[in-house]
Amino acid sequence: MDNEEQVARANVTKNKRVALAALKRKKILQDQLDKIMGSRMTIETQVMAIEAANVNMETFNAMKIGTEAMKNIHKKLDIDKVEDTMDDMKEQVDLANGVSEAISQPQLFGAELDEDELNAELEGLEQEELDKQLLNAEAAPVALPKVPVAGVRQGLSPLHQASPARQQQAHEEDEDDELAELRESMGMAA
């Protein structure tokens, strides 16, 4: 086709009749090519349709064989048998759970224990322990910051200086006051 077009171009001005014949041959060849391409397309479409039909047939046959196999399997099964088996299995699991629970429970062999009573006794013991801890806290020494007494005494007149006995008494009174405040804040009676 390209050759015929070259002949037509070469003779377009020199020999119109040769150029026109070349164009006719080109047109005939083009029509032939289009028909061949159309036929080829039709054949390819048929091949694809046949392949699709074969795939469908294979799929259908596989489904048919699968259905027959399921029928044969289910002939041996019956929904009532399956339900009975499932019920039996549930009973056995329940029995196993009951045995396991019974084995894991501690046995007191005749001693009946009331959980509420045990919890109340435990709370009482806890309260006693807390009371002991608070009572022991009374005996704990209160550490006061050390103040240089000598320097303070030097600045006071002899009349204002307290005797060592008076200082000890004041110190004890301060401790008693602090202890009373602590008891009051904790809600304890003196």
Side-chain angles (χ1 to χ4, degrees), residues 113-184:
L113 299 178
D114 183 13
E115 291 281 330
D116 293 334
E117 185 179 312
L118 291 175
N119 286 332
E121 186 175 344
L122 179 63
E123 286 178 21
L125 292 173
E126 287 174 343
Q127 186 61 46
E128 285 178 21
E129 186 62 30
L130 286 174
D131 290 345
K132 283 180 188 177
Q133 288 176 358
L134 290 175
L135 289 175
N136 289 340
E138 281 183 41
V142 177
L144 296 176
K146 298 200 179 214
V147 178
V149 179
V152 174
R153 288 187 188 156
Q154 291 172 354
L156 297 175
S157 67
L159 291 173
H160 290 94
Q161 289 183 0
S163 67
R166 175 70 186 126
Q167 287 177 355
Q168 178 64 30
Q169 182 182 2
H171 179 71
E172 289 174 2
E173 288 174 359
D174 287 342
E175 284 182 355
D176 290 340
D177 291 342
E178 287 178 13
L179 185 58
E181 286 178 22
L182 179 63
R183 283 185 177 159
E184 187 177 311

Side-chain angles (χ1 to χ4, degrees), residues 89-101:
M89 187 172 67
K90 184 180 181 312
E91 287 175 14
Q92 293 305 313
V93 168
D94 290 344
L95 177 64
N97 288 339
V99 168
S100 177
E101 187 175 323

Side-chain angles (χ1 to χ4, degrees), residues 30-123:
Q30 184 66 45
D31 287 344
Q32 285 278 330
L33 184 63
D34 288 344
K35 286 178 185 176
I36 290 171
M37 294 301 286
S39 295
R40 183 177 178 186
M41 183 66 69
T42 302
I43 291 171
E44 287 178 2
T45 303
Q46 280 185 323
V47 166
M48 286 190 290
I50 290 170
E51 288 174 353
N54 278 334
V55 168
N56 289 341
M57 179 63 98
E58 290 295 321
T59 303
F60 172 75
N61 287 337
M63 291 171 70
K64 188 175 180 181
I65 291 169
T67 302
E68 288 299 319
M70 288 178 69
K71 282 181 183 178
N72 287 334
I73 291 169
H74 288 138
K75 281 180 185 176
K76 299 172 187 172
L77 292 177
D78 167 312
I79 192 66
D80 293 330
K81 289 179 183 177
V82 171
E83 286 177 355
D84 290 343
T85 301
M86 295 304 291
D87 289 342
D88 290 345
M89 187 172 67
K90 184 180 181 312
E91 287 175 14
Q92 293 305 313
V93 168
D94 290 344
L95 177 64
N97 288 339
V99 168
S100 177
E101 187 175 323
I103 289 173
S104 67
Q105 294 296 320
Q107 296 297 319
L108 301 175
F109 300 107
E112 294 294 324
L113 299 178
D114 183 13
E115 291 281 330
D116 293 334
E117 185 179 312
L118 291 175
N119 286 332
E121 186 175 344
L122 179 63
E123 286 178 21

Side-chain angles (χ1 to χ4, degrees), residues 1-9 22:
M1 284 194 319
D2 290 337
N3 195 19
E4 297 299 327
E5 188 172 336
Q6 286 175 358
V7 170
R9 285 184 190 272

